[in-house]
Amino acid sequence: MYFRMINKLLVGVFLMFLPVANAQETQKSSQSRTLTGLLAFYDFTEGNGSVILDRSGVEPAINLHIENPEAVKWSDGALEIISSTRIVATDTIEKLFKGMSWTGEVTIEAWIQPSKMDQKGPARIVTFSRNGSDRNFTLGQDGDHYDIRFRTSDTTGNGIPSLPSAKATIAPELTHVVYTRNRAGRVRVYINGTLSKSDNIAGTLSNWDDSFKFALGNELVDQRPWLGTYHMLALYNRALPHREVNRHLRAGAQMKAAPVTPLSPNQQSAQLFEEKVAPILAKQCIECHNPSKKKGKLDLTTQASTFAGDFLDQVIVAGDSGDSILWEQIESNEMPKDRDPLRAQEKSAIKLWIDSGAEWTLDRIDTAHYEHEGVDKLFVRRLTVHEYIATVKATLGVDIEKEARELLPADLRADGFSNTAYNLGVDLKHIQSYAQLAEIITDKMDVLEFSAQFNDKQKFNEKVMRKLIQNMGTWILRGPLERHEIINYSGVSTAVASSGGDYAEVTRYIIEAMLQSPRFIYRIEKQRGDNQRWPVSEY
């Protein structure tokens, strides 16, 4: 880990001393852009209309709507705002909120050209906010420099202290502006590839608000308009290192993914084997042709066993399906025995695989892997009965073993284990049992004593209940609650209050609801996979 950190630092220092070309010249570069961690991308190539498309390819798309089309001017690959308007996201911004708040990292990258040098406020170039004083982040222009406000648990709700670029960094020309923030709180702003300003702004993103809107060109309440031209905007859920910022500077404003190299015949055969042939063999053939049964003296589970035996050079003749016994048996419907013949597309895949070289890339064909649709399918894993009992005891101090083992269905074994992910679903019996157990658990608890750990004021009002829900929920549900979850649990207190209940009663019902939440019953990871390594949080 430390070697990688030092290597990154050395690369960054090296790049700082490279000569940086004029931004308008680098616009013509054909270098590619990185796609890792990309959440949203706008290249403004629509040329007309009131919709700007998110071309990142990351679903769901966050398309933008121009509220006053007469206030903008389209050109080739650019959009100029010539008078005050708002450009607001028309679709969900959940991927921005969750993608960034989970990693704690962000990059805002823009190719822009300001129209005026005296726009202040700061004038909003990009904003994820509610109004002029409540935001998750904003990239703006404040006179002769850029200013970035980024909300954390250690800043104000307005993202103060902000990170300004150096003075006199605004120019009436095409400019590459990049703001990055890493998990450790290190924030940087680059202007045309050069580090303009850096600082440390600590804190987590636990206080981000998913109800805020995403917009360009103005604040959501219309009081901070920005005039200028957009050529490109990209948002990432990671902090781009200096070398990638320079790479993007050279790549220019257009999205250019790395060129795709055509697969060689051997690679095509290997891909065909992994994606088509191995699943067919696993589901249709290995029941009879495995190390135990070896019907016809043939074991198709490994390459060595397939090409061994009395006819080792004839079962599969690489490059020639016509001389391959396996294809002969399949084509004539002799295989598989005692079941329907293979479908035409299955036969075609096997024939093409043999004729293209019969590349075999797996150590062993595991039927369990294909029976449950492969390891690339993600399963949300329920707590086993044993884990449920232990979790209740550790979290609430209640021994529920006798009741849980009586009420919950026993965990089934699969592939030799009782905690295999695809075998730990929830059916109606589980749901009914969890509801009963939640009631039994709260009956065994001193609810008021338990709640006192999370809120010393046992008053039945909105402020006290929200604090209790947030603190107690973080403990019971193994991590901080999101805004919508707090609202949902607050609905329980509202319902109890309307029926004349008291603090103890509402606390009991909230605990019961949390015990039946997927966040309690399942082991849930809330990350967006992007093939990067991320340190785990304290939760």
Side-chain angles (χ1 to χ4, degrees):
M1 178 180 70
Y2 294 106
F3 172 79
R4 290 170 59 195
M5 291 172 61
I6 293 170
N7 188 49
K8 286 183 177 182
L9 178 62
L10 292 174
V11 172
V13 171
F14 173 73
L15 288 171
M16 287 178 66
F17 290 95
L18 288 176
V20 179
N22 178 278
Q24 296 193 26
E25 292 176 357
T26 63
Q27 177 89 4
K28 302 174 183 178
S29 170
S30 62
Q31 292 196 22
S32 62
R33 296 172 48 82
T34 181
L35 304 182
T36 303
L38 182 66
L39 294 176
F41 183 88
Y42 307 94
D43 61 7
F44 305 96
T45 57
E46 287 77 12
N48 57 66
S50 60
V51 177
I52 302 168
L53 299 177
D54 173 5
R55 302 183 187 276
S56 65
V58 180
E59 296 298 334
I62 303 177
N63 298 323
L64 307 175
H65 174 69
I66 304 168
E67 294 189 346
N68 180 14
E70 295 181 358
V72 305
K73 180 181 177 181
W74 287 98
S75 58
D76 185 19
L79 176 73
E80 181 182 3
I81 300 180
I82 56 179
S83 62
S84 178
T85 188
R86 289 186 308 180
I87 303 173
V88 184
T90 58
D91 302 288
T92 175
I93 47 83
E94 182 181 22
K95 71 174 178 179
L96 284 189
F97 176 80
K98 290 192 172 180
M100 293 177 177
S101 61
W102 177 77
T103 63
E105 302 208 352
V106 65
T107 293
I108 306 168
E109 178 188 9
W111 281 92
I112 51 178
Q113 183 172 341
S115 295
K116 300 168 66 177
M117 303 303 102
D118 59 353
Q119 302 182 83
K120 295 185 177 181
R124 310 310 200 227
I125 300 169
V126 184
T127 191
F128 187 2
S129 57
R130 172 184 288 132
N131 52 44
S133 59
D134 211 3
R135 71 197 65 262
N136 292 332
F137 66 73
T138 294
L139 164 63
Q141 177 184 342
D142 201 6
D144 68 350
H145 64 277
Y146 296 96
D147 191 63
I148 301 93
R149 298 181 179 181
F150 190 88
R151 182 180 192 175
T152 77
S153 56
D154 284 13
T155 70
T156 68
N158 199 11
I160 303 297
S162 64
L163 179 69
S165 67
K167 297 294 183 181
T169 44
I170 297 288
E173 62 185 30
L174 184 60
T175 306
H176 187 228
V177 182
V178 179
Y179 168 82
T180 68
R181 195 260 187 189
N182 68 17
R183 287 179 75 98
R186 191 65 177 173
V187 290
R188 298 177 173 89
V189 58
Y190 302 88
I191 308 296
N192 292 333
T194 299
L195 180 63
S196 178
K197 188 69 75 70
S198 66
D199 202 349
N200 281 306
I201 300 179
T204 68
L205 309 193
S206 59
N207 60 344
W208 269 35
D209 195 317
D210 63 355
S211 70
F212 291 175
K213 303 294 184 183
F214 180 66
L216 312 183
N218 211 332
E219 188 51 79
L220 273 297
V221 288
D222 277 332
Q223 85 279 39
R224 293 290 186 271
W226 181 77
L227 303 181
T229 305
Y230 296 89
H231 290 258
M232 189 220 71
L233 174 66
L235 300 168
Y236 291 81
N237 70 345
R238 66 186 184 93
L240 297 187
H242 195 175
R243 67 178 183 276
E244 289 189 48
V245 172
N246 275 273
R247 174 181 167 187
H248 287 198
L249 173 71
R250 294 180 174 85
Q254 301 302 315
M255 171 75 94
K256 296 181 178 68
V260 178
T261 304
L263 296 178
S264 68
N266 285 350
Q267 289 173 322
Q268 291 177 18
S269 179
Q271 181 176 323
L272 189 62
F273 176 74
E274 293 178 9
E275 295 181 0
K276 301 289 185 181
V277 175
I280 295 170
L281 296 179
K283 293 177 180 180
Q284 302 286 4
C285 305
I286 290 179
E287 181 181 350
C288 297
H289 302 286
N290 58 55
S292 299
K293 292 186 177 179
K294 291 187 69 172
K295 281 196 173 182
K297 299 182 180 179
L298 180 60
D299 174 8
L300 291 173
T301 57
T302 69
Q303 183 180 32
S305 61
T306 299
F307 290 92
D310 297 335
F311 38 83
L312 73 165
D313 59 346
Q314 299 174 22
V315 175
I316 298 174
V317 179
D320 190 349
S321 59
D323 283 341
S324 301
I325 295 175
L326 179 68
W327 170 245
E328 179 183 311
Q329 295 290 306
I330 289 173
E331 184 183 30
S332 64
N333 296 330
E334 291 294 321
M335 286 180 60
K337 292 281 188 183
D338 304 323
R339 63 176 64 185
D340 293 336
L342 297 186
R343 300 191 305 271
Q345 57 266 41
E346 292 175 321
K347 290 182 177 181
S348 177
I350 292 175
K351 184 177 189 300
L352 179 60
W353 169 65
I354 296 174
D355 288 337
S356 62
E359 291 291 324
W360 190 298
T361 57
L362 300 178
D363 292 334
R364 177 176 176 270
I365 298 178
D366 184 354
T367 55
H369 172 94
Y370 298 101
E371 179 182 352
H372 301 288
E373 301 182 29
V375 295
D376 56 335
K377 181 172 180 178
L378 301 178
F379 296 86
V380 183
R381 180 160 126 31
R382 169 179 56 79
L383 296 178
T384 65
V385 174
H386 176 77
E387 290 168 340
Y388 174 83
I389 293 167
T391 303
V392 168
K393 190 168 186 177
T395 306
L396 304 171
V398 175
D399 186 352
I400 199 72
E401 180 165 9
K402 179 177 181 295
E403 295 87 346
R405 295 202 182 279
E406 289 176 354
L407 292 172
L408 287 170
D411 297 322
L412 301 176
R413 294 181 67 82
D415 299 337
F417 299 93
S418 60
N419 63 345
T420 308
Y422 57 73
N423 212 39
L424 288 172
V426 168
D427 58 24
L428 181 59
K429 176 63 175 174
H430 284 95
I431 294 170
Q432 294 170 337
S433 299
Y434 287 131
Q436 289 179 263
L437 288 166
E439 187 175 350
I440 295 170
I441 290 166
T442 52
D443 283 342
K444 291 189 172 190
M445 293 175 61
D446 184 332
V447 170
L448 293 179
E449 182 181 344
F450 179 76
S451 68
Q453 302 174 67
F454 309 102
N455 194 351
D456 55 358
K457 296 179 180 178
Q458 298 189 349
K459 297 180 179 179
F460 195 2
N461 60 50
E462 182 180 358
K463 183 177 180 180
V464 171
M465 294 313 301
R466 276 181 170 263
K467 181 180 179 182
L468 174 66
I469 288 167
Q470 185 166 347
N471 294 343
M472 186 170 69
T474 299
W475 175 253
I476 294 177
L477 301 180
R478 305 185 282 275
L481 271 63
E482 296 182 4
R483 179 174 173 273
H484 70 88
E485 292 175 309
I486 295 174
I487 291 172
N488 289 341
Y489 288 117
S490 295
V492 176
S493 62
T494 302
V496 172
S498 65
S499 61
D502 58 15
Y503 178 86
E505 187 175 3
V506 72
T507 303
R508 173 192 173 101
Y509 284 127
I510 289 172
I511 293 172
E512 287 188 22
M514 289 180 176
L515 289 173
Q516 297 172 73
S517 163
R519 284 186 57 176
F520 186 84
I521 294 169
Y522 291 96
R523 298 176 64 172
I524 297 174
E525 296 287 345
K526 294 185 62 185
Q527 64 227 36
R528 291 176 63 89
D530 62 358
N531 297 320
Q532 296 295 299
R533 292 182 179 180
W534 295 102
V536 297
S537 74
E538 60 268 40
Y539 299 100

